Structure formats: structure tokens, C-alpha cells
Amino acid sequence: MKSNQIKLLAVFIALFSLFSCQKSLTPSVLVYNLDEFNTAVSNAKPGDEIVLANGIWKDVQLVLKAKGTAESPIKLTAETAGEVFIEGASNLKIGGEFLEISGLYFRNGYTPTSAVVEFMIDKETFANNCKVTNCVIEEFTQPDKEVSDHWVEFWGRNNELSNCYIAGKSNFGPTIRVFLKGNEHIKNYHQIKNNHFGPRPRKGGPHGETIQIGDSGTSMTPSHMIVSNNFFERCNGEVEIISSKSNNNEFRNNIFFECEGSLVLRHGNYATLDGNIFIGNDNSNFIGGIRVINTGHWITNNYFYKINGSEFRSALAVMNGIPKSPLNRYNQVTDVVVAYNSYIDCISPFNFSVGANIDKKDVLPASEIRSERPERTILANNLIYNHQNGEYPIVNYDKVDGVIFKNNILNSENKSEVTSEGLITKKFDITKLSEWLYAPTQNDTEVYNGFDFETIKTDLFGNDRTKSNAIGAIVFPVNEGKLAIDKKAYGPSWFSADKVKPASKTIEVSQDSDLQKEIENATSGDVILLNSGVYNLKKSLLISKNITIKTKDTLNKAQLIYEGENDTPIFKLLPKGSLIVDGIILKGNNEQDAFSTLGKNMSIAFNLWVKNSEVTNFKNVLKVSKGSFADTISVANSIIKDCKNGFQLAEEIEDKGDYNAEFVFVKNSKFQNIQSNVINYYRGGYDESTIGGNLEVLNNQFTNCGKLEESSILIKSRGIVQVKIANNSFTNNPVKLIAILWGEKGQEPVDNTIVNSGKFEIQQNLKLKLMY
């Protein structure tokens, strides 16, 4: 080897060694408790790394106050990503510059303050250019469902939430909240990207958003928030999955999978919605798309599949506004562009003048009347295809005289009230590219070139529209690498949201002393099979998991005789309790309850199914507490008799839009000698942010019920939005009214037989307490 080559090699080795040493000498301190953490934070300098030791960190309030640089951020990491568990009454506050947090797992707890992760320490110390990434927040929900908090609060500027998994918030308040209170927090350019927002359960009231950006008070301020490349999976907290309440926000390339709500431009102007995918199904009419209020929005390249909701939950809901609207109500829709979107198997994708309510002027003040129709709004180059039932693509609740239609194509005849030369029926074929993705077999290039349409440069999957353009969200050829949803592309690299469920087992029980023990030892999903006989129970059976209690011999049913204290239940339903009672006879002493919830701290919803059973001699069939919520209550093929009260679901009496159950089904059952009301199901307050409750009473017999009911109403459902009472027989029930139904919501009795049992009354519009 020549001497100059040897010298060059020596220099290279020296430089490599120096670099390696510098890398290895990057300050990193492993901390094992809160005191050590606080010391490390106080000494932190740019480039330092604070490492939390693996294990459970319980009841810790972590405060990271430091200043890194763009080149040398200060990092807070887990010793092993996913093996540092933040539990109990814990949270994390961030203040300073260029800080990065990663690898933490928040579980089995709740925040003792307003937020789990907060980009602010106090009013003087907030975060700029900071990042929370590769973390999990799972079921870190308040014990009391009515206590409000947020799981991530954005303050400051240029902060980022990325590659996180966030799921399971049940309590009051948006999961993610972005604040714009003060010049330090506007024009923030925050980013929420590459996250997996897992299921948020139905809340049973307002304030269950997944993301809220701003509020009505700051809705005219510029935010420039970017929400991109996130996967929203069954985010069902309320009608607004994302509530945009500020200006200049962008929502790009997100997937909304079976979410019972919409991306809502609630307040603020000039939002961009591009390349988002909304996937519904055939089983729910509550899954929504995009709802539009205010001015200047561009809605382009979005894809909608089986979005069959109506009004607030339609694929495209364009609202009416309130004249001279205050900031917290509804401004008129103006100057909105809806172009190059595809709607596949969405029965009526376009809903215009949603929320028009001139007919309610007798029960609402003038300040709530939405009479201003959309103006200067253009729908162009959109594609609508339905395999069936596509004749009514537009539903209008007022005149549609401010909307311009240009070169929109549909494969079905348009029988809607709204017609236009810009709504063109033509024959075209589509091909199935994946389970949820369909696209035309060839490009339809007869596009409308509107003002600034040249700025729409790509399609849903990034294909260049300047080279080959077409109507709809997708231009051929399609990038085959983007046809499937890969959940692994979202959230932390170390975490899987797909939990392995243990196989359920069947456990036979013959003695009453074994029943509670077997319930306690059971795994969620197990079946407790009761042999025939009488089981005398002196204490409540606690249900905190998914359990089926079933009689073994349907011809000789097991009997549970409750001998416990008065005002206690035979079954006490705890958070996550999901109970199926099948083929069981339940008997009380007239002073106990068959089923009830905890008196407080019902943090997570419960469920109850009663099938092929008999419930006799109880004070209440079901009694719930304030703050409790059932996703589903179902009674089928059962006998309920000789009880003082039926199903009591009316504890949310503050008229703030909350209610105690989402779905109540009563079918093919007999109710005999219920002294007061059979069902008391209540939702108060003028609120449009939730499903609003569902009651189905079908094919039942009601005999000699209601004689002690003070209201003289047998089935009480005030404020519940969806009510069906059909094919029932009412015989000798000494009440004035069987039910009062809400005419505006289309409620009416159908094919019921009434003998000496009062009547149905329909009130067209209910006067409800204003909440805002």
C-alpha cells in the first residue's frame, strides 16, 4: 500500500473513531424514580437523553421543562419502548423548546389535572417545536365519566403528535384539544400525523370529539393545524369526530373507518380537506362524512364508501346558517368548493340546508333559527355510483338556489327535487380494487375547469392530474400499493391494537355458593351454565366483564332467589360489565332491584341482555345512576311481572344533552302488573351532537301496568330521538297516555292494539332547554 493511501486510511479511521466516541458520549441518564427524573430535567442540556427505567411509574406527575435546539433536541424516552407504564393518577407536562418524548405507555389510570399530556406547564411556560411520538394512551379515562379532561392538549407553536395509539376515552371532553388563546398559540402549525385513533365508545352526550381545534371564542383566528395520514377507527364519541373551530386548517390523507360521526368544519374558515377516505357499512346509518359550515373551504379528492347517514351524518352535509350568527352558532356557508370526490354506494350523499328549522320557530328563539341557505358554493367533477337505490342523490331541506353544479356524474336516474345540467346521469362501469375501494374502469376526462382548479394537482393517491385528469377522486392507473389499509403503518412500531382474545369456556354451576366465585374467576366471554334448581343469594353478584349466565335445561329453568338487603340488586353492573341472562328466573322481595349500576364512578359503559327469562317481585327491574351509560339494553322473549318500576333510565336530568343508554330494545315480551311506568328513558337539552338514544318496543304485551304512575304515562321517552313502538297489545293499563311521541323525528305508533289503556299523543316539536 502506498504511503499516501496509508495516511488517508489513518485519517479515515481517526475520524470514524472520533465520531463513534462522540456518539457514545451523548449524555444519557437512566432514572428510576420521580426524584431522579426531576434532577435529570434540572440538569438537562441540548442533546441530552433522559431514560425512564422499565416498569410501572405510578402516581407520577412528570414535568419536562428544558430547552434543546433543532440540531440537538432533549429527549425523554423509555428504556424499552412500550415497557414503561404510566399508571394511577399521572400525567406529563411539557414546556420549553425542541423536546422529544417517545415510548411511553399510559394505562390503568387517569390524569389528576386537565390533561394527560399537555404542551404547557403554566401560562408562562409552554412548548414550541416539541414532539410526542411512538406513545400509547389507552383507556386512561376518569373514574367519574362526568369529569372533563383531554388526553393531549396543544399549546404554543410547531408541536407534533405522531405515531401514537390513542383509544378508549369514555369521559367528558375531546380526546385531543388544541387551544388558540393568545398570540403565542395562533398560527401554530401544529401537526397530528401517522397516529392510530382507536375506538372511542359512544358517550351518551355531547363533548365526545376525538379532535377539537379551537373553540367558538377563537374561531376567527388562524391556526394552520395539519391533521394528516391518521387512521380513525370506530371513533363513536359523538357526531363530530373532528371539530374544526379555527381558520386555515388542513386535513389530508386520513382514513375514517366505521366512525359514527363526521369531520366537521364547525367554526372558522378556509379549511382544506383533501385525500381523505370515509368507510361505512351496511349495518349503521350513523356513520358520517363531512359537514360544512362557514366560508372558503376546499373539499377535494375525498372518497366515501357506504356512508348512508342523513342530515348531520350524511356523506356531504351542507348546513343552513343563522342570520347575524353569534360566534358559537352557525354562520352561513359561502364560497365553498367541493370537487373531484367519489361517492360509492352512498344512497343520498348530498344533503343541503341541513339544520333548516324555520318550522320550529314556536319552540326556538329567533337566534336559533337557521334560515340562511348556502351561497356561491360549487360542486364539480364529483362521481356518484350506487349498485342499487341511487335515485335520490340529493336531499334538500330548503331551496338549493346558491349551489352551482358542474360536470358531476352519476350512474342512476336523478329523481331528487334538485336537478341541474351539472348533474349528469350516464352509464359507466366501476371495478372493485379492494374490500372498500371501487373506481371507474376508465377516466372520464370531461372535467369542469373552475377558478383555481389548476391548484388541484393530484388525485386521492397522488397521481398527477396535470398529465391525465378525470372526474372523481381517482385517476387511472391506480397505485396498487395503496389499495389496502395497513394498520401497522399507523401508531407506534412496538404496539399492536389487535388483542388476542382467550378462548371462552363453559363453566357448570350447581350450588349458590359457587356462583359468585365462578363469576370472579371467569374470563371475559365465558358462559356460566346453571343446572336446574333454586339458588339462594344473599349478596349482589358483581359483573365487571362479558359474562353469560344461562340455564342448562330450558324446560326446568334455574331460579335465582335474592335474599339480600333492600335497595340492593341481584346483579350489580360495574364498568365494562356486559351481562347476558338467558333462561333464568329471578325473584326478589319487592324492595330490591333486579339489576343496577354502581352509585358512581361508572367510568365505562355497561351492557345488559335479558333473554327467555322471568323477572318477578322487584322494586326496579333496572336502576341506573347519574353518569352511568349503557350502550345496549335488550329484553327479548321474557316475562316481567309484579314489579314496582320497570327500566329506569332517567338520571341525567340537568338537560345538558346527556342520557343513560344508547340502544334500548324490548321485543316479544310480556309486562304484567308493573305498578309505575314500564320504561322511563330521558334525554334533555337542545343538542344535536349525538345519536340521541334509540328505543324499540316491538311485539310485546302490556297488561295492568301503570296504576301508580304519577305522570299517567306508561312508556316515557322524552327527548329520545329514535323511537319505534309497533305491534304491541296494551290491555287494561290504567293510564291516560301510553306514550308521548316526537312528531318532528318521525315518531308514530304503528299497528298497536289498545284496550282500556289510554292513547298515544304526538307532539310535533318539543320545547327543549337551550344549552348554548
Side-chain angles (χ1 to χ4, degrees):
M1 184 179 291
K2 295 180 180 180
S3 60
N4 59 341
Q5 290 178 320
I6 295 173
K7 292 178 180 178
L8 184 62
L9 179 61
V11 171
F12 173 78
I13 293 172
L15 289 173
F16 179 78
S17 299
L18 179 62
F19 172 78
S20 299
C21 290
Q22 286 178 337
K23 186 175 181 180
S24 64
L25 291 175
T26 298
S28 177
V29 56
L30 180 64
V31 297
Y32 290 89
N33 55 52
L34 189 58
D35 288 339
E36 292 182 3
F37 169 80
N38 290 334
T39 299
V41 170
S42 65
N43 295 326
K45 296 178 178 60
D48 285 358
E49 182 178 43
I50 301 169
V51 181
L52 300 186
N54 289 347
I56 295 174
W57 290 65
K58 189 171 183 180
D59 298 332
V60 292
Q61 297 187 48
L62 302 171
V63 179
L64 180 58
K65 182 180 180 182
K67 285 191 176 183
T69 65
E71 297 77 15
S72 300
I74 295 172
K75 297 181 179 181
L76 170 63
T77 66
E79 181 180 8
T80 304
E83 295 187 25
V84 171
F85 303 104
I86 312 298
E87 299 187 357
S90 300
N91 61 11
L92 169 65
K93 289 177 175 284
I94 308 162
E97 300 273 351
F98 296 103
L99 308 176
E100 295 184 8
I101 295 89
S102 66
L104 308 184
Y105 192 161
F106 292 82
R107 68 176 194 182
N108 299 335
Y110 60 93
T111 176
T113 59
S114 66
V116 179
V117 176
E118 188 173 8
F119 286 93
M120 182 175 74
I121 295 172
D122 53 47
K123 292 182 179 180
E124 303 298 325
T125 311
F126 39 84
N128 293 310
N129 304 297
C130 295
K131 178 193 299 187
V132 174
T133 188
N134 210 33
C135 293
V136 169
I137 309 176
E138 187 176 31
E139 291 190 358
F140 210 72
T141 200
Q142 293 286 339
D144 184 346
K145 180 171 162 284
E146 295 186 298
V147 173
S148 178
D149 67 11
H150 310 116
W151 283 8
V152 180
E153 283 189 3
F154 277 89
W155 300 83
R157 288 181 172 178
N158 299 303
N159 295 313
E160 176 184 310
L161 178 72
S162 59
N163 298 97
C164 291
Y165 178 78
I166 298 176
K169 191 176 195 291
S170 297
N171 64 302
F172 190 100
T175 307
I176 312 295
R177 181 73 162 83
V178 182
F179 287 92
L180 293 94
K181 296 180 178 179
N183 289 333
E184 303 92 341
H185 311 290
I186 68 172
K187 298 180 182 177
N188 54 66
Y189 295 93
H190 297 312
Q191 294 192 61
I192 298 175
K193 63 182 184 179
N194 304 322
N195 300 288
H196 183 174
F197 291 98
R200 174 158 190 176
R202 301 179 183 111
K203 178 181 170 293
H207 307 289
E209 304 92 339
T210 297
I211 299 176
Q212 180 181 328
I213 306 171
D215 57 32
S216 58
T218 59
S219 60
M220 293 296 106
T221 58
S223 176
H224 298 280
M225 185 94 190
I226 300 173
V227 180
S228 63
N229 297 293
N230 300 286
F231 183 55
F232 295 85
E233 181 181 18
R234 298 187 178 96
C235 296
N236 299 339
E238 62 145 79
V239 72
E240 299 181 13
I241 306 164
I242 297 178
S243 184
S244 180
K245 297 185 175 183
S246 47
N247 290 340
N248 307 105
N249 295 317
E250 298 182 20
F251 306 92
R252 298 182 182 273
N253 306 315
N254 302 287
I255 297 176
F256 298 85
F257 181 78
E258 296 184 351
C259 294
E260 292 182 345
S262 301
L263 196 172
V264 180
L265 306 176
R266 182 62 185 87
H267 298 305
N269 307 305
Y270 306 111
T272 299
L273 288 70
D274 184 81
N276 301 287
I277 295 172
F278 299 82
I279 300 173
N281 57 44
D282 292 322
N283 303 317
S284 175
N285 293 326
F286 303 120
I287 298 170
I290 294 170
R291 180 154 57 100
V292 184
I293 306 111
N294 300 292
T295 192
H297 310 302
W298 280 64
I299 301 168
T300 57
N301 289 320
N302 300 289
Y303 179 88
F304 304 81
Y305 177 64
K306 290 190 176 181
I307 306 300
N308 291 319
S310 60
E311 298 186 70
F312 280 47
R313 297 172 189 265
S314 55
L316 177 71
V318 182
M319 293 198 67
N320 262 18
I322 296 172
K324 299 180 180 179
S325 174
L327 283 176
N328 68 333
R329 302 315 295 137
Y330 290 86
N331 285 313
Q332 184 181 24
V333 174
T334 64
D335 304 299
V336 169
V337 174
V338 181
Y340 293 113
N341 302 286
S342 291
Y343 303 85
I344 308 298
D345 289 333
C346 303
I347 295 174
S348 297
F350 298 158
N351 280 220
F352 291 106
S353 291
V354 171
N357 57 359
I358 298 174
D359 59 329
K360 301 181 187 65
K361 60 184 179 182
D362 293 336
V363 295
L364 289 174
S367 60
E368 285 293 323
I369 299 301
R370 295 184 287 240
S371 59
E372 286 195 321
R373 299 187 291 273
E375 288 187 355
R376 301 187 305 277
T377 292
I378 184 166
L379 272 70
N381 304 330
N382 298 292
L383 179 148
I384 301 174
Y385 187 97
N386 281 284
H387 287 91
Q388 57 185 4
N389 301 325
E391 293 84 7
Y392 296 92
I394 297 176
V395 177
N396 59 298
Y397 301 92
D398 202 339
K399 294 179 181 178
V400 183
D401 51 5
V403 179
I404 300 169
F405 298 93
K406 294 289 185 180
N407 293 34
N408 302 281
I409 64 170
L410 51 154
N411 72 314
S412 302
E413 180 184 0
N414 178 18
K415 296 181 181 180
S416 306
E417 181 180 321
V418 178
T419 60
S420 168
E421 292 182 356
L423 293 166
I424 304 164
T425 297
K426 61 166 59 177
K427 183 178 180 180
F428 60 94
D429 295 321
I430 64 171
T431 184
K432 185 176 182 179
L433 301 174
S434 73
E435 188 65 29
W436 51 270
L437 183 63
Y438 292 77
T441 55
Q442 61 183 22
N443 290 331
D444 188 326
T445 59
E446 295 182 11
V447 301
Y448 171 73
N449 294 310
F451 177 75
D452 263 356
F453 275 34
E454 70 277 5
T455 63
I456 309 171
K457 296 183 181 298
T458 58
D459 75 345
L460 173 66
F461 295 126
N463 288 331
D464 191 345
R465 286 190 181 274
T466 65
K467 294 180 179 179
S468 177
N469 204 359
I471 290 173
I474 301 170
V475 176
F476 263 74
V478 179
N479 184 339
E480 294 187 2
K482 297 185 178 181
L483 301 184
I485 297 174
D486 181 10
K487 287 187 182 181
K488 295 179 181 178
Y490 307 92
S493 57
W494 51 267
F495 180 81
S496 174
D498 297 324
K499 303 290 193 295
V500 178
K501 295 182 179 180
S504 61
K505 57 185 181 295
T506 299
I507 305 162
E508 282 199 34
V509 172
S510 298
Q511 299 181 21
D512 44 38
S513 59
D514 294 335
L515 184 52
Q516 181 64 67
K517 180 178 69 175
E518 294 298 348
I519 291 174
E520 290 174 356
N521 294 334
T523 301
S524 190
D526 286 351
V527 176
I528 307 291
L529 198 61
L530 297 184
N531 288 302
S532 300
V534 176
Y535 297 76
N536 295 294
L537 304 174
K538 300 184 183 301
K539 292 184 178 181
S540 299
L541 300 172
L542 306 181
I543 306 298
S544 61
K545 62 195 80 171
N546 183 354
I547 290 291
T548 298
I549 300 178
K550 186 177 182 179
T551 197
K552 183 176 181 179
D553 184 356
T554 57
L555 298 179
N556 188 12
K557 296 179 178 179
Q559 298 184 45
L560 303 187
I561 310 299
Y562 189 47
E563 300 173 351
E565 296 180 1
N566 291 347
D567 296 315
T568 65
I570 186 168
F571 289 104
K572 178 164 285 188
L573 297 156
L574 279 60
K576 287 190 179 181
S578 189
L579 174 64
I580 299 174
V581 174
D582 189 355
I584 307 294
I585 296 173
L586 308 180
K587 291 185 178 180
N589 69 359
N590 293 309
E591 295 300 329
Q592 307 143 326
D593 301 329
F595 309 92
S596 77
T597 64
L598 291 176
K600 60 180 181 179
N601 291 345
M602 285 295 293
S603 58
I604 298 174
F606 71 95
N607 295 283
L608 174 64
W609 288 267
V610 179
K611 304 190 295 185
N612 310 307
S613 296
E614 183 176 316
V615 181
T616 306
N617 296 327
F618 286 96
K619 183 177 182 180
N620 297 289
V621 178
L622 171 63
K623 181 177 175 58
V624 301
S625 61
K626 188 178 186 326
S628 66
F629 180 70
D631 192 87
T632 301
I633 296 169
S634 175
V635 180
N637 304 305
S638 294
I639 297 172
I640 314 291
K641 67 178 184 179
D642 300 328
C643 295
K644 291 185 178 180
N645 303 288
F647 292 83
Q648 303 303 299
L649 302 166
E651 293 300 314
E652 302 296 346
I653 58 175
E654 295 179 345
D655 290 353
K656 294 182 178 180
D658 297 300
Y659 48 103
N660 288 119
E662 197 66 78
F663 297 98
V664 180
F665 304 119
V666 181
K667 300 180 180 180
N668 304 311
S669 295
K670 295 179 180 179
F671 290 79
Q672 302 168 0
N673 301 318
I674 308 300
Q675 294 181 25
S676 294
N677 59 75
V678 174
I679 298 170
N680 188 7
Y681 186 16
Y682 181 82
R683 182 184 72 99
Y686 183 63
D687 176 61
E688 300 166 302
S689 63
T690 62
I691 294 174
N694 291 260
L695 173 64
E696 292 189 7
V697 181
L698 308 175
N699 302 302
N700 303 287
Q701 298 176 24
F702 299 88
T703 306
N704 194 30
C705 297
K707 65 181 179 181
L708 297 182
E709 173 54 43
E710 293 181 1
S711 69
S712 201
I713 303 172
L714 187 64
I715 299 173
K716 302 167 76 172
S717 61
R718 180 174 173 81
I720 302 303
V721 173
Q722 308 285 340
V723 176
K724 295 180 182 178
I725 304 179
N727 301 97
N728 304 284
S729 66
F730 297 91
T731 305
N732 297 327
N733 299 288
V735 294
K736 292 181 180 179
L737 298 172
I738 296 172
I740 299 175
L741 301 179
W742 193 354
E744 178 205 343
K745 302 300 182 183
Q747 299 175 13
E748 59 180 354
V750 177
D751 296 333
N752 297 288
T753 301
I754 303 172
V755 177
N756 299 325
S757 297
K759 63 180 182 178
F760 286 94
E761 180 178 299
I762 297 178
Q763 291 185 5
Q764 182 61 26
N765 294 313
L766 294 184
K767 190 169 185 178
L768 301 170
K769 180 181 177 181
L770 295 178
M771 297 168 50
Y772 304 100

